[in-house]
Amino acid sequence: MWKSNNNHTVPEVYLKQFLNKDWKFWVFDNQKIWRQEELCYRGISNLTVKRKFYVWKTKHAEEDYTIETDILANNIESAVKEPLLKISQRKILDEDDMSVLSYFVIFQYIRTTKFKSNFIDSRKAEQERDIIRNYSNPWYLEKVITKMKSKGKDVSWYNSQEMAAKVKSWDIKPSVTVSKEYYLNFMLHTVTRSVEDFFNMEWKLLVAPHGKYFITTDNPFIITPVWEKNIWIWIKTPWAKKYIPLSPDVCLELGDVWASWKIPSYITISEKELNKINYY
């Protein structure tokens, strides 16, 4: 099977929905704004591409391309073409379409560079807090010392109380790394665990008013609000709204997880509502 080292974090099958009749669109790059190169008219070649983004190392140090080839390119991205075509033609979706879109949307939420970066940063911070909390606890250190002793190591000079007190007094930041393999495992586990929740959410297909359009980004899946009363908003948070534009004319809105399931209908929204979604 052909293996690609150039992996899309937003797939071509999705980006093609936003191309004009010349197979191009306007792209805004906020990383180049100060060089006055922020807006360009181009196709999708090499757009949202990262080298070996989904390639991981096996326990034998071999490169595994399964996520890119078997799961994404030849499964999810291939299957989503039909429901995206139906949406472009304003046809009613059936359960199979919704199932495919559920997989596509949850993958798209997790597979971006921004999500990966935020996930790794938060996981590192969590592990650093755990290390400091554990090693400043005499009871935990006593267990570590006992384990070392069982392995025949000399622990006569260890004192759990003194060690814990020193850790508490140190202004330290443990060195923690989170591997790409850890992130990719999280991706697969989250998709398997959450895809049914996506299917059972309240679905709405929002239609842009005449002459107005939805825009998309390299992080097209949006959860709003992000924070509410110091609570981190997640995909299952009851009052959160989830959006992903599926074309310039149609945006999928996902509501509560436990909403009564039904086939989604097309709802034309106001220009004010469209601008609000585009602002996110």
Side-chain angles (χ1 to χ4, degrees):
M1 181 179 292
W2 180 71
K3 300 175 181 179
S4 174
N5 289 325
N6 295 324
N7 302 162
H8 282 269
T9 58
V10 181
E12 287 188 346
V13 67
Y14 173 81
L15 294 173
K16 284 178 180 178
Q17 307 305 310
F18 295 85
L19 297 175
N20 62 17
K21 61 182 180 180
D22 297 323
W23 289 89
K24 292 184 178 182
F25 49 22
W26 287 102
V27 178
F28 176 83
D29 189 343
N30 61 5
Q31 300 299 314
K32 298 180 179 179
I33 189 169
W34 302 115
R35 302 201 321 235
Q36 298 183 345
E37 301 174 7
E38 69 274 17
L39 194 61
C40 62
Y41 188 57
R42 57 165 295 173
I44 59 176
S45 176
N46 295 322
L47 194 65
T48 66
V49 169
K50 295 294 179 183
R51 183 169 174 78
K52 296 187 177 182
F53 191 78
Y54 308 112
V55 180
W56 58 8
K57 297 284 188 179
T58 67
K59 62 181 180 180
H60 302 297
E62 298 174 343
E63 292 186 333
D64 190 320
Y65 288 76
T66 302
I67 294 179
E68 168 67 14
T69 56
D70 296 355
I71 298 177
L72 293 175
N74 294 331
N75 193 342
I76 304 299
E77 293 167 16
S78 177
V80 81
K81 292 178 182 178
E82 184 175 346
L84 289 178
L85 178 61
K86 281 188 175 182
I87 289 170
S88 70
Q89 298 170 346
R90 300 291 194 282
K91 292 183 177 179
I92 300 300
L93 302 179
D94 57 30
E95 291 186 37
D96 289 340
D97 297 324
M98 293 176 66
S99 178
V100 170
L101 280 168
S102 295
Y103 276 101
F104 177 79
V105 171
I106 182 62
F107 259 116
Q108 188 52 67
Y109 173 44
I110 300 173
R111 68 191 286 188
T112 64
T113 52
K114 182 177 180 180
F115 184 96
K116 179 184 177 182
S117 176
N118 289 343
F119 169 77
I120 289 177
D121 288 346
S122 64
R123 190 69 188 105
K124 286 174 67 174
E126 182 182 336
Q127 291 182 7
E128 288 165 1
R129 288 194 300 269
D130 288 344
I131 290 171
I132 294 174
R133 182 176 63 248
N134 289 335
Y135 281 89
S136 61
N137 185 327
W139 176 81
Y140 179 85
L141 285 172
E142 196 64 44
K143 289 179 63 177
V144 174
I145 293 170
T146 301
K147 187 174 181 179
M148 292 171 63
K149 187 176 181 180
S150 69
K151 294 182 178 181
K153 296 185 178 181
D154 180 15
V155 295
S156 59
W157 62 278
Y158 283 95
N159 183 298
S160 60
Q161 296 289 341
E162 291 180 1
M163 290 173 64
K166 286 182 178 180
V167 171
K168 284 183 178 179
S169 66
W170 292 342
D171 182 18
I172 60 172
K173 186 174 183 180
S175 177
V176 176
T177 59
V178 178
S179 68
K180 181 167 73 170
E181 286 72 23
Y182 185 92
Y183 158 72
L184 293 174
N185 269 307
F186 170 84
M187 175 194 290
L188 297 178
H189 176 71
T190 302
V191 169
T192 303
R193 185 181 59 190
S194 303
V195 67
E196 186 176 351
D197 292 328
F198 271 68
F199 182 87
N200 290 322
M201 288 178 184
E202 180 184 12
W203 288 44
K204 295 179 183 177
L205 293 167
L206 309 180
V207 180
H210 179 71
K212 303 297 178 180
Y213 305 100
F214 293 103
I215 61 174
T216 192
T217 71
D218 53 353
N219 298 284
F221 184 86
I222 308 159
I223 300 180
T224 181
V226 178
W227 287 93
E228 182 73 22
K229 296 179 180 178
N230 296 322
I231 299 173
W232 177 259
I233 307 302
W234 178 236
I235 54 177
K236 294 186 181 182
T237 306
W239 60 85
K241 295 291 185 181
K242 283 76 65 178
Y243 299 98
I244 179 169
L246 298 178
S247 76
D249 303 310
V250 179
C251 177
L252 173 62
E253 177 189 284
L254 299 169
D256 289 346
V257 173
W258 46 79
S260 56
W261 182 87
K262 62 180 180 180
I263 295 292
S265 57
Y266 293 90
I267 304 169
T268 301
I269 61 174
S270 67
E271 183 177 347
K272 182 179 179 180
E273 291 174 298
L274 177 138
N275 291 338
K276 187 176 180 180
I277 294 171
N278 282 340
Y279 177 77
Y280 295 137

